Amino acid sequence: MTTTIPVAGGAFAPYEVVVGRGLLKTAGAEVAALKPTRAFIVSDETVAAIHGETVRASLEGAGLATGIVTVPAGEASKSFEQLEAVLDRLLAEGLDRKSLVVALGGGVVGDLAGLAAALFMRGIDFVQIPTTLLAQVDSSVGGKTAIDTPRGKNLIGAFHQPRRVLADIEALATLPVRQVRSGWAEVLKHGLICDAAFFDWLGGEGAAGAQGDPDALERAVIRSVEIKAQIVGEDEKEAGRRALLNLGHTFGHALEAELAFDETLTHGEAVALGCAMAFRYSARQGLCPAVEAERAEAGIRAAGLPTRLSDVAHAFAADALIARMAGDKKAEGGRLTLILARAVGDAFTDKDVDAEAVRAFLIEEGAA
Ligand SMILES: NC(=O)c1ccc[n+]([C@@H]2O[C@H](COP(=O)([O-])OP(=O)(O)OC[C@H]3O[C@@H](n4cnc5c(N)ncnc54)[C@H](O)[C@@H]3O)[C@@H](O)[C@H]2O)c1
Ligand SMILES: O=C(O)C(=O)C[C@@H](O)[C@H](O)[C@H](O)COP(=O)(O)O
Ligand SMILES: [Zn+2]
């Protein structure tokens, strides 16, 4: 059985996210229905070795000319160097404007391949086949594509929506447990933003999902995609409500950048810690009851995710973190923007954050 979730709102061509089992094997027919001249796979070395042949055979079986380009696994591949390598390969392969890119992998591959598709001949179609939980619940939906630079996270990118998203729950069976938990962080984020009942389910009946239980994972993917689809349908380019999806990211991206995007923290772990910090900061500023910040932190920690700077083996400096946060894409005219909360399930955007209050908070949190 599959579940189909529409992503629509008028600002872009509508598309569907299909969630189900065995979708890697049937991807060929789904892609062929879009009638491309070719369907070229972009993946990373790890995913290509596990799932590449299934998808390649499915595309070929559906009569599509195909091929595959891979990048090394990991965040470091969201780089100018790998973007250039992928684009050069697409050119060398002779793809045309009616060719289609198939992004097969986690958020790194989706963001990189999506940006390559946005740039190739000024924009060609792409299909997302997300193989991590994080990519299924978040990065494959909504059209944000990007690479990092040493100056910060996702600073070079484009909005480019996929034509279709195929989220195969069976693909998650090979995912390391650390990566399952990492994706769970973005799932928890969706509950923290706007669905307190979902957040409580994730910590109760649904908690097995964080350990890889496929039924709980499927429900978590479906509800997450419903939440994200509704928000991006209203606000594709983050003029307003979409910024809520950045809960935990202003802190989280600053931590990732300070760690030079190494493996100390995955993106999901940084977001988990960032969400706990956003709730504690909200409580400190009197915007949210302390008990709600404790509820948020307990739910995140119960899933085995970090909630405190002391959980990370690195000495962070408050000023360095603030400088990173000032370079965040949400900052306007030098003012920090943070996504804060009144309670679990009730996040809001604060565009006028006092940097001195954040500095004091970071020092209370253990930054130097
Ligand atoms: N565009 C967006 O809206 C958006 C949203 C959230 C996150 N992101 C981005 O996504 C990235 C993180 O994505 P991620 O967490 O998927 O990381 P990732 O793509 O690096 O994947 C994590 C690891 O899992 C491996 N892997 C992937 N699928 C596998 C499978 N089925 N079996 C075994 N191993 C598998 C990968 O090779 C990699 O080593 C970050 O760069 C983040 O900024 C983007
Ligand atoms: O889709 C969005 O909008 C999000 O903010 C989702 C985030 O989980 C994701 O990490 C996104 O890439 C962050 O966007 P950025 O604009 O802060 O780079
Ligand atoms: Zn994220």
Side-chain angles (χ1 to χ4, degrees), residues 78 111 138 141-142 144 153-154 186 189 228 232 238 242-243 245-246 249 253 267 271 328-330:
K78 278 178 56 171
D111 281 14
D138 192 348
V141 183
K144 274 190 180 178
K153 179 95 175 169
N154 297 339
E186 301 273 24
K189 177 195 78 176
K228 184 155 186 185
V232 302
E238 202 175 292
R242 183 168 184 166
L245 296 173
N246 237 244
H249 284 65
H253 281 171
H267 174 70
V271 168
D328 178 71
K329 294 181 289 309
K330 298 186 299 305

Side-chain angles (χ1 to χ4, degrees), residues 2-340:
T2 58
T3 303
T4 301
I5 301 153
V7 189
F12 52 84
Y15 58 96
E16 290 176 335
V17 180
V18 185
V19 183
R21 304 191 192 198
L23 299 178
L24 296 187
K25 294 191 201 96
T26 55
E30 298 268 355
V31 175
L34 299 170
K35 304 201 181 314
T37 51
R38 292 189 67 183
F40 207 80
I41 303 168
V42 178
S43 192
D44 73 30
E45 287 160 5
T46 304
V47 177
I50 304 173
H51 297 299
E53 180 51 26
T54 305
V55 174
R56 195 205 57 76
S58 179
L59 293 169
E60 216 166 81
L64 289 166
T66 187
I68 184 163
V69 57
T70 60
V71 298
E75 186 73 26
S77 283
K78 278 178 56 171
S79 65
F80 278 114
E81 189 192 347
Q82 293 304 331
L83 178 65
E84 184 181 357
V86 168
L87 286 169
D88 187 57
R89 180 71 185 279
L90 301 185
L91 289 169
E93 291 283 341
L95 268 69
D96 63 27
R97 276 191 160 161
K98 297 293 174 200
S99 299
L100 179 150
V101 166
V102 175
L104 174 68
V108 165
V109 164
D111 281 14
L112 178 70
L115 182 56
L119 294 172
F120 188 83
M121 295 189 179
R122 299 199 184 95
I124 61 172
D125 286 347
F126 82 118
V127 166
Q128 290 267 22
I129 307 188
T131 62
T132 62
L133 178 61
L134 184 140
Q136 295 192 356
V137 300
D138 192 348
S139 61
S140 62
V141 183
K144 274 190 180 178
T145 74
I147 56 171
D148 309 324
T149 91
R151 294 185 190 281
K153 179 95 175 169
N154 297 339
L155 293 182
I156 307 296
F159 288 96
H160 188 53
Q161 300 291 339
R163 290 291 310 279
R164 200 159 183 80
V165 181
L166 307 174
D168 187 343
I169 300 298
E170 282 177 359
L172 304 180
T174 55
L175 200 58
V177 68
R178 183 179 182 192
Q179 298 300 339
V180 175
R181 282 201 297 262
S182 184
W184 200 252
E186 301 273 24
V187 177
L188 289 166
K189 177 195 78 176
H190 290 132
L192 290 170
I193 291 170
C194 62
D195 190 342
F198 180 48
F199 182 79
D200 290 339
W201 178 83
L202 292 168
E205 207 189 317
Q211 265 71 55
D213 176 73
D215 293 334
L217 282 173
E218 186 161 358
R219 282 188 62 180
V221 172
I222 290 168
R223 183 64 193 133
S224 284
V225 173
E226 284 170 353
I227 289 171
K228 184 155 186 185
Q230 203 250 327
I231 292 176
V232 302
E234 275 173 34
D235 177 20
E236 182 193 18
K237 297 206 170 149
E238 202 175 292
R241 187 164 154 73
R242 183 168 184 166
L244 297 180
L245 296 173
N246 237 244
L247 177 66
H249 284 65
T250 322
F251 291 118
H253 281 171
L255 300 173
E256 284 185 82
E258 280 299 281
L259 291 164
F261 308 110
D262 73 5
E263 314 224 317
T264 308
L265 283 179
T266 65
H267 174 70
E269 288 162 352
V271 168
L273 175 46
C275 284
M277 290 174 77
F279 267 80
R280 282 197 295 277
Y281 181 76
S282 302
R284 181 189 194 274
Q285 298 305 103
L287 301 164
C288 159
V291 69
E292 285 296 288
E294 285 154 18
R295 178 180 170 201
E297 178 171 7
I300 297 167
R301 190 162 274 284
L305 288 158
T307 59
R308 299 271 166 179
L309 287 182
S310 56
D311 294 330
V312 186
H314 183 86
F316 293 100
D319 287 338
L321 289 172
I322 300 246
R324 295 287 187 188
M325 291 163 77
D328 178 71
K329 294 181 289 309
K330 298 186 299 305
E332 287 175 8
R335 303 291 289 175
L336 298 184
T337 292
L338 276 180
I339 312 307
L340 301 177

